[in-house]
Every structure is written in structure tokens, then in C-alpha cells.
Amino acid sequence: MAQNVNITSDECAWSRFEVKILGRTIKGLRGFGFKKEVEKEHLYGAGDDPIDIMSGNKKGSGNIKVLGFEADAMNKAARDAGFDDIIDVPHEAIVITCAYKKRLIDPVKTYVASGVAFTEAGTDLEQNAKFREITLPYLAMNVKLP
């Protein structure tokens, strides 16, 4: 029996997302990603069929896509704290939280990436661009999904 799945445009109700980094709400948010991974591989014995699946190391990663003024503000906060830019801030100091509601009456659900280390910073500009959009990939010590 097929399960009834209700997919609506509220699934990604962008107006009800809030992302905070270093305690600051990111208003120039253009996108984000949270990913939790575990290494897995087949275990083989006699024959050519696997006899089990073995698990290995876990890791968390993701990215945030922000407007240029947000990346500038994050780099300024890093400089004010004595670092060159956001990629030099120690991972122990950065937590990313994303809280959202599918519908206004639903409880808040939260993604959390803790121990975040940004791995790239920079900018790409194109002729006739109306805004700067910067993607900042990161590694995380821990990712919690709702």
C-alpha cells in the first residue's frame, strides 16, 4: 500500500528559516546545506556476495550561501577577534543553527552543526551582477538533523 505523502510549497517556506552563526542571525542568507556521513562498505567472505555491511568513520559537512555583506561581516567579526578571516577562526568557536517551521502552527525544528571550520573564503563576480553571492563550505565535528 502506498503511503500518502503531502508535498506542498510550504516544505521550503523560506520565510520561516533562521540561520545563526556566531550568535548573529544571517539576513543575507541565500542557501545552506547540512550533511552527515558515515563510511560503509560491504564485508566479503567465501563466495562473491557480501555477508554484511561494515561501518567506519563519521563526518559532518555542509555549506552556507550568503550575500557579500554577510561574508564581509563574518570576516570583520573574525578580525575583531584577532584572526585574519572566517577560515582562521577555530572550529570550537563556531556553531551554525538553522531553525524552521514547515507551517506556522508546527513546532520549531532545528539543524545544528557544531565545531564548524570553514574551508574556503573568497568571491566570484560577473559582469552585470546585481549582488555578490558567496558559498562558504565547512567541515563540522557534529551535525544534528531534526
Side-chain angles (χ1 to χ4, degrees):
M1 178 178 216
Q3 180 181 359
N4 183 12
V5 178
N6 183 16
I7 298 175
T8 68
S9 62
D10 275 353
E11 182 68 21
C12 293
W14 200 245
S15 64
R16 292 192 289 272
F17 279 91
E18 179 180 82
V19 172
K20 289 187 177 188
I21 299 174
L22 299 170
R24 182 173 181 272
T25 299
I26 305 298
K27 295 292 185 190
L29 181 69
R30 299 283 294 170
F32 59 87
F34 290 82
K35 185 164 59 171
K36 190 174 183 178
E37 297 179 63
V38 64
E39 294 174 355
K40 293 189 178 189
E41 66 181 53
H42 286 104
L43 175 64
Y44 291 92
D48 58 0
D49 289 323
I51 58 175
D52 203 353
I53 295 176
M54 305 305 295
S55 296
N57 294 329
K58 295 179 182 180
K59 66 180 177 178
S61 62
N63 67 73
I64 60 165
K65 189 181 296 186
V66 297
L67 291 174
F69 77 90
E70 291 289 5
D72 294 345
M74 290 168 47
N75 284 323
K76 181 183 182 319
R79 283 190 299 279
D80 290 347
F83 303 100
D84 286 340
D85 52 43
I86 194 66
I87 65 172
D88 290 330
V89 177
H91 68 274
E92 298 91 349
I94 301 176
V95 176
I96 299 174
T97 58
C98 173
Y100 73 98
K101 293 181 176 189
K102 181 176 175 185
R103 297 174 302 170
L104 287 174
I105 61 172
D106 290 341
V108 174
K109 293 184 180 181
T110 306
Y111 293 92
V112 178
S114 57
V116 170
F118 288 101
T119 59
E120 295 178 25
T123 191
D124 292 316
L125 296 172
E126 295 180 15
Q127 191 276 336
N128 201 32
K130 307 297 185 273
F131 55 87
R132 289 183 301 143
E133 187 175 80
I134 298 168
T135 300
L136 300 169
Y138 64 82
L139 298 177
M141 294 297 291
N142 191 12
V143 172
K144 292 188 180 181
L145 306 174

